Amino acid sequence: MRTLMSLLLALFILAVPTATVFAQDMGDGPVVFCGDLSEEDCSLLEESATMMADLTEGSYVSTIEFDISGIPEVPFDEIAGDITESGSYIVDEALQKELKSMKPEDYMAAMADKEALQEMVMAMVDGIDTAQDIEINLNEELSGLLSDEIGYPIPESMRLRFVITDGEGYINLDDLSAIVPEMGEMSGWIGTELGPVLEYALSQMNLEASAADLAPMGQVMAMSSPEAQMEIFGDYMGIDRLADDAIDGEDVAVFVTTIDFAGFLTSPEFMQFVVDQVEASGEASISESDLAQIQMFMPMIGPMLVSGLNAGSVQYVSLDSGYTLDKESTFEWDLSSLMSMLSMTGAVPAPPAGATTFIGFNTSTAYSDFNDVGEISAPENAMFVPGETVVGMMESAQ
């Protein structure tokens, strides 16, 4: 039972931030890249971004597919799989407004301050209802690697279902029993009050992290924002409107965004980006001689580095409602030519004849039920454990 409660706690903590993805900060307003689009097309994208940012209810189906193979000197030949998350959410309007106003640095500050983190997490528990169903499929090699690392068999296919509603969290035990053998034949749904459980868990956490400890995470969050991507790649991005299409009978405008990576790698902006990242890492500033070498060689090797790279995104905007119905992104990189070139210099081992080195990440998210989810209810016939009881079990496990 203690193992069960630990799993419940971990999954509940993970579940709350997932639901808030749709209410994250966009600065003073949605950041939209229009490039050379017409004023009409740009307005369509901007209006859609505003509508999506203002949503307090919605449903989604998000899929991530990954495939990494042929990488020299790694303990695997190929790891591949996919993760599909289907869910619905309802966010309190006041909470959504507060979350949208937060910057990456605000989240980092909360992570290092126990009281601030507790306040933020409890606000999310009270202000967000969500139901999620996650399916994970791994290839045999990745499943084996994870099994060896964790110490017990990890199945190639897994499922997790959980619900948060009215401050209570529920999780399906059938799913967990299939993953964690020691749970035995436990089945059905189990739930508890999240408030006292999370309050106790957070009180036990050690948040004495220094700014240097949190800096890498802050950099990732900052660089993943639309503003940062526009600042870094803006001059090397392109966007086009393709022929209109239809999704489930609804007419949509189709926008394709691409990045000229070869142009970026040979640009002054890239050189400044390198300098900024070195300085942000806390290391000594890059020397002028090292920077000069990069500037000299990058025009020659830059195009070779991105040879075989196919990356971009597609957005489908409803011509009826204005909402974005689907987003897709592609990152597929055939590194075979680059690996062959590097092997000639002795930087990496020579690949086997005909070997392919590949990294691929493809994502897609379909949106629906815009401000019309209805109600997210607790699962029927769920076993309920009072929060105080769960806290008592956690205390006795210390």
Side-chain angles (χ1 to χ4, degrees), residues 15-25 89 91 95 99 107 124 128 130 132:
V16 174
T18 303
T20 68
V21 167
F22 304 91
Q24 295 264 332
D25 164 67
Y89 64 94
V91 184
L95 174 62
L99 292 173
Y107 286 102
M124 291 179 179
I128 296 174
T130 182
Q132 299 190 36

Side-chain angles (χ1 to χ4, degrees), residues 80-83 134-140 142-144 146-147 153-160 174-180:
D82 61 78
I83 302 172
I134 302 173
E135 295 188 17
I136 304 171
N137 297 297
L138 312 174
N139 73 335
E140 182 178 358
L142 179 54
S143 173
L146 292 175
S147 299
I154 297 296
E156 294 178 32
S157 295
M158 294 172 280
R159 185 181 186 186
L160 296 171
D174 301 83
D175 304 333
L176 294 180
S177 296
I179 301 171
V180 185

Side-chain angles (χ1 to χ4, degrees), residues 19-20 22-23 50-59 88-97 100 127-130 323 368-374 376:
T20 68
F22 304 91
T50 298
M51 293 173 66
M52 297 297 289
D54 290 340
L55 283 173
T56 56
E57 299 183 21
S59 298
S88 298
Y89 64 94
I90 301 173
V91 184
D92 177 78
E93 291 186 13
L95 174 62
Q96 185 217 41
K97 183 177 181 180
K100 284 172 62 178
I128 296 174
D129 289 353
T130 182
Y323 287 113
S368 60
D369 298 332
F370 305 105
N371 283 331
D372 191 25
V373 167
I376 295 177

